[in-house]
Amino acid sequence: MATQSPFSFLNGLLERVVSGPQLPSWLVHEVQQRTVLFLNHVLMQEKAAMERLVRQKGRVARVQWRSYTMALVITPAGLLDLAEAGAVPDLQLEVTDTSPLALAQAALRGDKPAIRIEGDVQLAADINWLVDNVQWDIEEDLARVIGDAPAHTVSQVARKAAQTLRQFVGARAARGTAAADKGDSLSGDIGGRNQP
């Protein structure tokens, strides 16, 4: 007898969490504010990114996934801020995959999510450039708190763990695709061995 994939259980759990009760508006606003602070922190580490965004000052990009939306306006400094309520977006980005597990798996593989884009082509190109070229320097931020040598060690361990996780998810996805192509069901434990 085949066992059910742990991913289907996890997907069901994530689906229930995401589809759960509506979050209070103050909490949504606070999460959005924290997201903007984080994005600006990352942007400030890359001068070319800020220079690129300065050319788009005042433009509004709206990102949507399921019922969650966030509208960001580009500031004259080349950073981001939450757009005023009701601001008309120059660019709309909608993440089309509604499964939280599928999005997490794609992120772990290093893939971009499928996105439907409407609006200003140049703004879309600049945002795509940011996604492709700007990365958070976790090691630098850790070094400010715990010192250079420990930060380097923690970063190496985290990179190795992320690489291992990506390989695991990629192998499971490949096996799932192969099983679907054969018309078989995916079964097995996390290690990939079949259970009796």
Side-chain angles (χ1 to χ4, degrees):
M1 181 174 158
T3 59
Q4 187 176 9
S5 168
F7 288 119
S8 60
F9 168 75
L10 185 57
N11 190 40
L13 180 65
L14 288 173
E15 191 64 40
R16 283 191 296 278
V17 169
V18 171
S19 300
Q22 195 69 5
L23 297 174
S25 61
W26 65 266
L27 181 58
V28 171
H29 183 72
E30 189 62 30
V31 168
Q32 289 177 343
Q33 287 287 13
R34 300 291 176 177
T35 301
V36 167
L37 288 173
F38 172 74
L39 291 173
N40 284 337
H41 172 74
V42 173
L43 286 171
M44 287 189 289
Q45 295 175 351
E46 185 66 50
K47 189 165 178 63
M50 291 174 60
E51 291 169 354
R52 189 174 281 263
L53 284 178
V54 164
R55 299 187 307 233
Q56 298 288 347
K57 68 182 173 200
R59 310 300 298 274
V60 175
R62 181 175 168 251
V63 181
Q64 179 171 348
W65 178 67
R66 298 178 98 169
S67 63
Y68 303 102
T69 63
M70 184 165 69
L72 300 170
V73 62
I74 301 170
T75 69
L79 296 172
L80 303 171
D81 198 1
L82 289 176
E84 295 290 325
V88 176
D90 299 291
L91 179 67
Q92 295 185 66
L93 306 164
E94 180 182 357
V95 178
T96 58
D97 195 342
T98 60
S99 167
L101 181 60
L103 287 174
Q105 288 174 324
L108 288 172
R109 285 191 309 268
D111 298 340
K112 291 181 187 177
I115 296 179
R116 187 175 59 82
I117 302 170
E118 291 181 19
D120 186 89
V121 174
Q122 185 58 48
L123 181 55
D126 285 340
I127 289 175
N128 188 56
W129 183 90
L130 293 174
V131 170
D132 287 343
N133 294 288
V134 177
Q135 294 182 0
W136 179 26
D137 189 349
I138 301 168
E139 187 173 332
E140 182 180 319
D141 284 346
L142 272 176
R144 291 183 187 130
V145 177
I146 62 175
D148 289 337
H152 182 69
T153 302
V154 168
S155 294
Q156 281 183 320
V157 169
R159 277 192 288 273
K160 183 66 177 166
Q163 179 184 13
T164 302
L165 192 55
R166 271 191 217 99
Q167 289 170 345
F168 171 75
V169 169
R172 294 296 292 189
R175 263 191 260 144
T177 302
D181 290 345
K182 290 181 184 179
D184 298 336
S185 64
L186 179 63
S187 62
D189 67 6
I190 292 177
R193 295 178 305 273
N194 287 335
Q195 296 290 324

